[in-house]
Amino acid sequence: MLLNYIWIALILLAIVFGIIQCLCFGQTDIFNEILNSTFASAKTGFEISIGLTGVLSLWMGIMKIGEKAGVINQMSRVVSPFFTRIFPELPKGHPAFGSILMNISATMLGIDNAATPLGLQAMREMQESNPDKTKASNSMIMFLVLVTSGLTLVPVSIMTYRAQLGAANPADVFLPILLATYFAAMAGLISVAIAQKINLLNKVVLGTLGGLTLFVALILWAASVFPQEVVSRWSGILAAVLLLGVIVWFVLAGAVRKINVYDAFIDGAKDGFKTAVGIIPYLIAILVAVGMFRASGGMDMLVKGMAWIFALMGLNTDFVPALPTALMRPLSGSGARGLMVDAMVQYGADSFVGRLVSIVQGSTDTTFYILAVYFGSVNIKNTRYAVACGLFADFIGILAAILLGYLFFY
């Protein structure tokens, strides 16, 4: 329901800002720009969905092999003690646990192309046990908020952009990004746990989160000891080994169990194709609203107004040029990426703003895109408080990014 109100608000605000631009600033072509943005955004949404078709077909085919070979059930049993506490609706050994684990692992390694189909597979498996097929279950909301927090251990793509734009040390933002996204993930987990009255103060949850914290600390230690080139190279190797290892593992397990691996893959790939097609309306809807709001100049006006307010409060406003990236991040991944690159080009990759936009970009994920794609794949209409908790995690991640930017680079 909240997503519905936000979608309407973005469109109405786009029209209002367009009128302001036209009457107050003489931009008579503003409505043509807003109209053109709707066509461009609709085209982009379709192209993204079609682009996902191949990846979804591949990974859902692989997941189907793993499911029939019993590998997914084995993985579910391993993570069941922790997941049954943060996903209390799902019974022990639920097949979604394996998909959730693989999705989170791929996200942490920055493998977005693999994370999305694995996440959609998890949503489909949770939907099977959802009593109300149009309403998001508690488990779906917990999973979606964890996904939108975007916990990433190695932000390879951001470091690559910084290298291309001339940063002396592209990895100098690695530590603050890791800390910011970790805070976002913890904020998302705690906010949903409070809403669902989940007790996080038990040995299993505290032990798992403590282990994750230790793992993050080890990554930070390695990043501080080894040069950026070594970190980037080994992160790429680790990602490739993980993906290829999963494929080989599932295929060999299927062969050992004497299932028809090829037919299993085809069955899963067909489901992947259907899922990709089903996403198109939901993705186009959110991208069109975001595109209209951006084309109307509403985003620019909002940033300038916030800068004026911060100046009145006597706060340092050097972070304001990074706000467009921060505000765009929950709405559009490609839009935020473009704004990040634009800021680095304008101010310099090694400037305070250049580093800050990099931290902001890596602090969280594209909340509305993820909600539209994941919920759209299983035809969920009522998202309940998923948007609110997701945006809260975004807010904490972005706030942490700004504070860490000042702490590390100002």
Side-chain angles (χ1 to χ4, degrees):
M1 186 64 68
L2 181 57
L3 189 60
N4 172 57
Y5 293 142
I6 292 174
W7 189 76
I8 294 173
L10 285 173
I11 293 177
L12 294 179
L13 285 173
I15 300 301
V16 171
F17 281 117
I19 293 173
I20 294 174
Q21 294 275 26
C22 181
L23 297 179
C24 300
F25 301 102
Q27 296 187 17
T28 54
D29 292 334
I30 189 66
F31 290 108
N32 285 332
E33 295 179 13
I34 295 175
L35 180 61
N36 290 336
S37 75
T38 63
F39 298 128
S41 298
K43 180 181 178 182
T44 299
F46 179 78
E47 290 174 346
I48 290 174
S49 299
I50 295 302
L52 283 173
T53 302
V55 178
L56 285 172
S57 297
L58 168 64
W59 282 101
M60 286 193 174
I62 296 298
M63 290 294 291
K64 181 63 72 173
I65 295 174
E67 178 185 337
K68 291 189 174 182
V71 177
I72 302 299
N73 287 333
Q74 294 173 2
M75 296 177 65
S76 298
R77 287 195 293 269
V78 171
V79 299
S80 182
F82 174 68
F83 279 174
T84 51
R85 285 165 173 81
I86 65 172
F87 298 101
E89 279 187 342
L90 301 179
K92 292 183 179 180
H94 194 282
F97 288 158
S99 301
I100 291 172
L101 174 64
M102 294 181 67
N103 169 270
I104 293 176
S105 300
T107 300
M108 292 172 70
L109 292 171
I111 316 170
D112 294 336
N113 287 340
T116 299
L118 294 170
L120 295 179
Q121 177 71 11
M123 291 293 289
R124 292 175 65 236
E125 290 164 344
M126 285 186 282
Q127 178 72 331
E128 291 179 1
S129 58
N130 184 11
D132 187 342
K133 301 302 182 183
T134 64
K135 181 179 178 181
S137 66
N138 288 348
S139 299
M140 288 179 174
I141 294 174
M142 174 64 82
F143 175 59
L144 260 294
V145 173
L146 291 177
V147 172
T148 60
S149 67
L151 179 59
T152 304
L153 295 180
V154 186
V156 177
S157 61
I158 294 176
M159 292 190 291
T160 301
Y161 280 114
R162 289 182 53 74
Q164 292 174 343
L165 293 171
N169 180 12
D172 58 5
V173 297
F174 173 79
L175 178 56
I177 286 177
L178 181 58
L179 293 174
T181 187
Y182 184 67
F183 289 137
M186 291 301 101
L189 173 63
I190 293 171
S191 66
V192 177
I194 292 173
Q196 298 180 2
K197 299 180 180 179
I198 298 174
N199 179 23
L200 299 179
L201 300 178
N202 61 75
K203 293 181 180 180
V204 174
V205 174
L206 292 178
T208 303
L209 295 181
L212 178 59
T213 301
L214 178 61
F215 181 62
V216 169
L218 290 174
I219 294 292
L220 294 178
W221 173 81
S224 64
V225 172
F226 298 103
Q228 182 266 337
E229 294 80 8
V230 175
V231 175
S232 296
R233 182 171 70 252
W234 279 101
S235 64
I237 292 173
L238 180 60
V241 170
L242 174 66
L243 293 179
L244 291 175
V246 167
I247 294 174
V248 173
W249 178 21
F250 283 17
V251 171
L252 288 179
V256 170
R257 293 292 181 89
K258 296 181 180 181
I259 68 170
N260 191 322
V261 176
Y262 179 78
D263 285 348
F265 177 86
I266 296 300
D267 289 341
K270 289 179 180 178
D271 291 337
F273 179 81
K274 293 177 182 177
T275 300
V277 173
I279 288 170
I280 295 176
Y282 299 90
L283 190 55
I284 289 178
I286 193 64
L287 289 182
V288 166
V290 171
M292 290 178 64
F293 183 66
R294 186 181 182 189
S296 70
M299 184 69 72
D300 291 336
M301 289 186 183
L302 184 60
V303 169
K304 291 177 180 178
M306 294 176 69
W308 178 73
I309 292 173
F310 291 136
L312 285 180
M313 296 170 61
L315 299 177
N316 183 289
T317 59
D318 289 347
F319 71 95
V320 170
L323 285 181
T325 303
L327 295 174
M328 183 60 67
R329 187 65 178 127
L331 300 173
S332 169
S334 59
R337 190 181 307 114
L339 291 171
M340 176 191 70
V341 172
D342 181 68
M344 283 195 282
V345 170
Q346 182 177 354
Y347 294 93
D350 286 332
S351 66
F352 172 69
V353 172
R355 289 186 170 108
L356 182 55
V357 292
S358 301
I359 302 170
V360 168
Q361 177 72 5
S363 65
T364 185
D365 213 326
T366 313
T367 297
F368 287 101
Y369 169 83
I370 291 174
L371 291 176
V373 170
Y374 280 54
F375 280 137
S377 68
V378 289
N379 297 315
I380 292 293
K381 303 295 192 301
N382 184 357
T383 61
R384 301 169 66 198
Y385 49 85
V387 176
C389 289
L391 290 178
F392 175 72
D394 290 340
F395 173 76
I396 295 299
I398 291 171
L399 178 61
I402 294 173
L403 295 177
L404 289 165
Y406 275 96
L407 178 63
F408 278 85
F409 302 116
Y410 194 75

